[in-house]
Amino acid sequence: MTVRFKFPSVQSLKRLLRGHWGKILACCCTLVVFACLLLLIAVQNEDFVIYARSYFWALDYQRLVTDYSDESTLYVDTTKADELYKKVKILCFVITTSNKLAKAVPVVNVTWGRRCNKILFVLCPLMNTESTFLNTCHIKEGSSHLTEKVRYALKVSYDEYLNDYDWFLKADDDTYLVIENLRYLLSHHDPNKPGYLGYHFQKFMHQGYASGGAGYVISRKGVQQLVEKGFNMDEEKCKKEGEIEDKLIGQCLEASEVPVLSSADKFERQTFHTDKLWQHVWGTFPKYLISYSRDPVKDGSSCCSQFLVSFHHVDPGAMIFIHHLLYRTSVYGRNLPDSIPEDLFPVNKVPPKTVIDDEI
């Protein structure tokens, strides 16, 4: 018996595709295209993965905050850190918004924020009456008002806290900072001289400016000169409003003769970082950084100082995870030596590069 296979005619294929099978095939193709699109977005932007994950797996932040507030079960000697806590006093002000009150604010408070000598959350307009919030801020929320919020916080620092603290740190609520390392870095500098430190961009002005996302810290004298001189200048030199806060505050600091100080160690490894720690390690940081950075951008083991200070774009869940690795995990038998070379962090102003007149 001979079995013959007969290819379907074009007409029969058209009839088939017009029926139920055609609809199923169209749905399958649509799903494949949609899945590929999601995969492409996830590869390009890991924040999308975090956002999508939150719909299926919600972290209990209140429980985690309570859990991580207790460090009584840890075996750790904090003698040197405690000594610097008294010698190098830092006021931290954190820029935040009302929709971050449930997650980011309490997580910052229980992780790196508790290691500041004082922490203030700049929340405008005021949505909370706790003492940790600046309670007279009436600036509108939104990225277009960032410069106003930072200027407001610096003015409060000048009016109420200038003689109580040595350094004034500006950070975002998605920035993670190792405050003990920041104190060690700052211990090499004199707070009674004008200066500020951060991740140094070389764009737009003679001395460049520090990245806002990585956080930057201004000396007591620097804040004084900024408020007394810069805040009284005309709009061309020191703008009062604008979305690009770090650039505008940087211009005002330059006009106030507050120099950028080196924050890299003697091996040219950075302490402040503009993006996630793993992006700097892997070398997957945004490409703009190569042209913006004052110093050569490095990845791998050369990306970061042993005493790294900050990294940015850290969501509350990742912040707790990083905090666990830094403060609740130890490697037995590996400790800091009794002394660290004094020249690890060179004390000098950063010489300006060629002026770049790019516009954002």
Side-chain angles (χ1 to χ4, degrees):
M1 180 178 177
T2 304
V3 179
R4 295 182 179 180
F5 178 78
K6 184 178 181 181
F7 287 96
S9 65
V10 174
Q11 295 298 325
S12 62
L13 284 174
K14 288 182 177 179
R15 287 195 299 271
L16 180 64
L17 292 175
R18 281 197 296 266
H20 293 297
W21 286 106
K23 294 178 180 178
I24 293 172
L25 181 61
C27 288
C28 290
C29 291
T30 301
L31 288 173
V32 169
V33 171
F34 183 67
C36 291
L37 181 62
L38 288 179
L39 181 61
L40 179 63
I41 295 173
V43 170
Q44 295 296 321
N45 187 356
E46 61 186 87
D47 291 327
F48 173 80
V49 178
I50 296 170
Y51 180 76
R53 185 194 66 197
S54 64
Y55 281 94
F56 304 98
W57 181 34
L59 296 177
D60 185 350
Y61 286 102
Q62 294 302 318
R63 181 186 65 80
L64 289 170
V65 165
T66 301
D67 188 21
Y68 277 85
S69 63
D70 180 14
E71 297 185 347
S72 61
T73 61
L74 300 180
Y75 299 97
V76 60
D77 179 6
T78 62
T79 302
K80 290 186 177 181
D82 294 340
E83 290 174 355
L84 271 186
Y85 181 91
K86 299 174 183 177
K87 294 178 180 178
V88 182
K89 296 180 180 180
I90 304 173
L91 185 151
C92 306
F93 59 87
V94 182
I95 309 300
T96 191
T97 54
S98 57
N99 63 351
K100 301 293 187 68
L101 284 173
K103 296 179 182 179
V105 168
V107 168
V108 167
N109 230 352
V110 81
T111 55
W112 67 266
R114 67 192 296 181
R115 288 167 166 81
C116 300
N117 293 85
K118 186 176 184 64
I119 184 169
L120 296 170
F121 290 91
V122 187
L123 182 62
C124 307
L126 185 69
M127 300 290 291
N128 192 301
T129 57
E130 293 182 14
S131 60
T132 52
F133 290 83
L134 295 181
N135 56 13
T136 58
C137 185
H138 301 293
I139 301 166
K140 294 180 181 179
E141 286 194 350
S143 59
S144 60
H145 300 285
L146 279 176
T147 301
E148 290 178 85
K149 292 173 77 171
V150 173
R151 283 175 63 106
Y152 168 75
L154 288 166
K155 185 64 165 59
V156 171
S157 299
Y158 172 82
D159 289 338
E160 300 182 19
Y161 302 107
L162 189 66
N163 296 322
D164 298 327
Y165 300 95
D166 304 306
W167 298 86
F168 297 84
L169 169 73
K170 177 269 170 183
D172 294 339
D173 56 22
D174 62 345
T175 305
Y176 189 96
L177 292 110
V178 186
I179 298 297
E180 292 90 342
N181 288 351
L182 176 59
R183 278 200 186 89
Y184 177 61
L185 170 61
L186 296 177
S187 69
H188 295 74
H189 297 273
D190 184 354
N192 294 311
K193 294 181 179 180
Y196 82 116
L197 300 88
Y199 190 95
H200 193 180
F201 287 155
Q202 65 176 340
K203 295 275 190 174
F204 309 119
M205 62 203 76
H206 186 63
Q207 71 175 16
Y209 65 102
S211 162
Y216 52 83
V217 60
I218 311 174
S219 69
R220 180 194 298 116
K221 186 64 175 179
V223 170
Q224 181 181 2
Q225 288 188 191
L226 176 65
V227 174
E228 293 180 357
K229 296 174 62 175
F231 285 7
N232 292 313
M233 292 179 178
D234 57 51
E235 280 281 321
E236 184 178 351
K237 294 182 178 179
C238 193
K239 293 184 179 179
K240 296 179 180 179
E241 300 179 2
E243 183 173 351
I244 312 166
E245 156 263 322
D246 49 5
K247 173 191 172 186
L248 298 181
I249 296 295
Q251 288 176 332
C252 200
L253 283 162
E254 180 175 88
S256 306
E257 299 181 334
V258 180
V260 181
L261 305 177
S262 174
S263 58
D265 65 23
K266 70 176 184 179
F267 303 107
E268 298 182 348
R269 300 174 305 195
Q270 297 297 324
T271 49
F272 293 80
H273 298 85
T274 60
D275 292 275
K276 300 178 181 71
L277 177 60
W278 43 93
Q279 287 181 283
H280 287 274
V281 172
W282 295 339
T284 58
F285 43 77
K287 299 305 178 187
Y288 84 87
L289 197 59
I290 296 174
S291 62
Y292 266 65
S293 180
R294 167 59 174 75
D295 301 313
V297 183
K298 300 178 181 180
D299 58 12
S301 62
S302 298
C303 76
C304 317
S305 172
Q306 180 180 353
F307 297 95
L308 65 81
V309 170
S310 75
F311 30 95
H312 189 213
H313 299 305
V314 184
D315 71 277
M319 193 171 288
I320 289 175
F321 177 72
I322 292 168
H323 185 77
H324 189 102
L325 291 179
L326 286 172
Y327 289 92
R328 302 184 73 91
T329 305
S330 299
V331 179
Y332 182 80
R334 288 182 64 90
N335 303 294
L336 284 175
D338 292 333
S339 62
I340 300 170
E342 286 295 324
D343 64 345
L344 179 60
F345 289 107
V347 180
N348 59 284
K349 299 176 184 179
V350 180
K353 284 191 171 181
T354 304
V355 177
I356 300 175
D357 293 321
D358 294 322
E359 290 295 335
I360 294 181

